[in-house]
Structure formats: C-alpha cells, structure tokens
Amino acid sequence: MIIGAITDNSDLERRIPLTPQAVSRLVKKGAAVMLEPGSGAGIHVADELFVRAGAKLVARGSILSQSDILLRVRKPAAEDIAIMKSGVIHLSFLDPFNEKDLISTLASRGVSAISLEMIPRTTIAQKMDALSSQANLSGYVAVVIAAERLSKILPMMTTPAGTISQARVFVIGVGVAGLQAIATAKRLGARVEAFDTRPVVKEQVQSLGAKFVEVDLGETGQTKDGYAKALTPEQLALQRDAMAKVCAQSDIVITTAQVFGRQAPIIVTRAMLSGMQPGSIVVDLAVETGGNVEGVELNREIDVNGVTLIGLGNLPGRVAVNASDMLAANFVNFIEHFWSKDKNAFALKLDDEIIKGCLVTHGGRIVNPKLLPQA
Ligand code: NAD
C-alpha cells in the first residue's frame, strides 16, 4: 500500500503532513511511503532524514497519481484532484461546510475524502484529533504574539523603583485553544479572566487559576459532541454587554469562540473596541471562520483608536515544527487504528463510528449526512 504526502511549501503554510519519525512508523507497518524532495524545508528537515526513515523521494505528480492514501495539511487543488487515482483515500483539513464545489469534485472523482475537522471528539479518537492538536498550539501562539505587541510586561514585578502591576488578559471562548491561552497567559504571570457559553467550562477555567466571568444567558449548553450551541440574538446582546465591561479593563483580549459548522459569532463590536484602553491588544483566533471581533481582517493587524486588532491566520503554522509533529502523529495514529494485519493494508471500515463521522465522499458520492441537503 502506497502512502503519499503532499507538502504545500508556501509562505502561508510551513506545516508538513509527515515527519521522519512518522514515516518510520508507517514503514514499520508495511507501507511504502512517498514524499517530494524538499518536503521538510518548512521545518528544517533534510531529505536525507526522510530517506533514512524509509521514504522514497519522488516527483509530486507521481505521488498524486500512484498513492493509495494521500496525506496533506490543506485542501487539494483541482489540478491535483484531476490526477489522483480513483478510490484514493485522501486525508486533510477540507473546511467541508464552506467548500461545496471542492467536495463535489472529490466525490465525482471517486476520492474517499476524510475531513480532519470532522473526526469525532471521542475519547478513542483523541489521538487522531488534528483540530485539537493544532488549536492547542494556536492558543499558545496567540498569547505570545499579544505579549510581544503589548507595551507592558505581563507579570507583577516589585522593584526598588516601584511595583509594576499584572497585565490583565481576557479569553473569550474556552475550548482547546482557549484553555491553552489561559494556561500560557498564567505562566507568563498575567491576571486571567475567561468566559464561555458552555457552563461545564467554569471548573476548567478555575482549575487553571483563572477567574470565570459569570453571565446569566439563560439556557445555553452544548451538543452531544461537546460543541457550543449557537446563541439567540437576545443572548448575544446580553453577552456583549457583559463582555464590554471586562474588555474595557483588559490589556489583552483573545477570542476563540466558534460554533461547529457555522460562521463564528461576533462578540466584540466596534463600540466595545472603542471602550478599551489605547495600547490594548485583541487577537481574534476565529478570524478564519469570519471572526469574533467586528472589523477583523484575515492576515492583518488593524489599529482601532489605539487598540491593535490582530487577525492572523494559521497560528499553528508559526510553530510549524511542533504543529507538524502533532499533525503527523495524528495521521499515523489514524492509519494505525485502521490497519489490518491480515491484509497488511489500511481498511476503510465504513461502519466504524470514527469513519462515519469524518468520511465526506466515497464511491462517487457525498456520504456524510452533515453535508447532505436535508441535514
Ligand atoms: P470550538 O473551537 O468549536 O469553540 C471554541 C469555544 O468557543 C468553545 O468552548 C465554545 O463553547 C465557545 N463558544 C461558542 N460560542 C461562544 C460565545 N458566544 N461566547 C463564548 N464562547 C463561545 O471548540 P473546540 O476547542 O473545538 O472544543 C469543542 C469541544 O470539544 C470542547 O468541549 C472540548 O473540550 C471538546 N473536545 C473533546 C475532545 C475529546 O474528548 N476527545 C477533544 C477535543 C475537544
């Protein structure tokens, strides 16, 4: 069975799908692994290390046309899909709710496309959960970027010249990225507050030593997969009122609020930004799904009356070494989980709960109920 990895190698994407360690795990299983020469450039890994791990270096076109399983970070380009084998199993982030044409093309070309975003958030699938492995790093990077842009230090410091007070950090949305943002800001010595619509989060926030901001929004809750339910317009208005007060006192605001499969909710309005102290920093981690902050722009830093609004995309790509390690481990864990010893090959078990959750196209059709019109 041939497993091929395609690298994007662009300024926008330095992460790579397979590291030498991941290659050697796949080779041990009995797979033939193919990569392009220069695959490791984004994370400073020489070709020789991939070869030593057992990979074959071949041209991109051959990888695309010969692989039985294709791994890549981002969605495939149409010209790549055109030369893939029919029946190839393709794993990548796909943004399937927004990429309707792409999903139709994958289906019509007979690709079995697995969307990393849709791997179920279950205990057994945790080791394959690329959304979590990358979000975790995003939370860290967001705080580091904000700390670097802020003209203040984060910890309290007592010096002969006087005492510097702690900077205040407010994290809105406490999923995987938000929890890591809290932990990172705490490690840097900030005073941290946080809010999420899912009530279960309160205890997690407190266990990290941060303060949970209490807002009575009425019924909120979460889906069976642990995702937030969308708020009503009235609930969002209530939330904004409460958030405005905390934002006005914060030096750094980090927003990570997302609702699975939907546009991110606007939580911080322009008026709320105007109420913040000049010099404050806002990092919007939801910018790629529309943003939580009014006026945020992808890959731009905007000055709004002295407040810096940062909307940088692909934050895990800024720590591409760790992000690639995590992603490669997620890919290999996925493949190993479904590796059949008898056939010495990956077995696409269509009745498995994990596969049912993340397989979006198969056998010439869109197969995932969440992507079908009636869903
Ligand atoms: P996400 O990226 O979908 O959303 C980030 C956070 O934003 C969530 O905590 C969500 O509740 C919150 N949010 C949504 N609307 C909001 C609003 N208006 N105001 C404030 N916050 C708002 O979340 P995620 O990081 O992907 O995590 C989703 C869930 O999955 C969490 O419960 C997480 O613990 C769970 N999870 C479980 C596993 C597992 O068990 N294997 C693995 C990873 C994540």
Side-chain angles (χ1 to χ4, degrees), residues 68-149:
D68 303 301
I69 298 181
L70 271 169
L71 310 175
R72 71 193 289 167
V73 179
R74 294 190 174 222
K75 60 193 177 218
E79 59 266 30
D80 288 352
I81 301 173
I83 55 172
M84 288 178 195
K85 263 202 310 209
S86 176
V88 63
I89 299 167
H90 186 283
L91 282 87
S92 72
F93 286 112
L94 282 175
D95 191 12
F97 294 101
N98 295 312
E99 293 286 352
K100 298 208 167 15
D101 289 347
L102 170 71
I103 302 303
S104 301
T105 309
L106 287 164
S108 66
R109 286 277 308 131
V111 175
S112 296
I114 285 171
S115 160
L116 296 181
E117 294 93 333
M118 295 182 74
I119 292 178
R121 313 303 281 274
T122 54
T123 307
I124 191 162
Q126 239 169 350
K127 60 187 178 192
M128 321 164 188
D129 184 352
L131 218 45
S132 290
S133 73
Q134 304 301 295
N136 196 19
L137 295 168
S138 297
Y140 168 88
V141 174
V143 173
V144 171
I145 290 177
E148 193 273 328
R149 302 291 196 278

Side-chain angles (χ1 to χ4, degrees), residues 120-127 129 131-133 135 171-179 195-198 200-201 204 217 221-222 225-231 236 239 243 256-261 265-267 292:
R121 313 303 281 274
T122 54
T123 307
I124 191 162
Q126 239 169 350
K127 60 187 178 192
D129 184 352
L131 218 45
S132 290
S133 73
V171 177
I172 304 176
V174 191
V176 180
L179 283 172
F195 176 74
D196 195 293
T197 51
R198 292 180 299 119
V200 293
V201 167
Q204 298 165 11
L217 296 177
Q222 61 182 28
D225 304 316
Y227 287 111
K229 289 185 179 160
L231 298 184
L236 253 180
Q239 178 184 1
M243 304 288 101
T256 81
Q258 313 244 27
V259 179
F260 185 70
I266 296 277
I267 295 169
N292 292 140

Side-chain angles (χ1 to χ4, degrees), residues 6 15 34 51 60 66 108 138 155 181 183 188 225 261-262 268 278 364:
I6 294 289
R15 290 175 295 174
M34 299 202 308
V51 174
R60 187 183 180 89
Q66 292 174 28
S108 66
S138 297
L188 289 175
D225 304 316
R262 292 192 186 207
V268 180

Side-chain angles (χ1 to χ4, degrees), residues 170 172 213 215 236-250 253 267-269 271-277:
F170 183 29
I172 304 176
V213 175
V215 188
L236 253 180
L238 269 176
Q239 178 184 1
R240 287 184 190 133
D241 270 355
M243 304 288 101
K245 295 189 189 90
V246 189
C247 287
Q249 297 165 352
S250 301
V253 173
I267 295 169
V268 180
T269 61
M272 289 162 74
L273 285 179
S274 305
M276 290 179 65
Q277 304 155 48

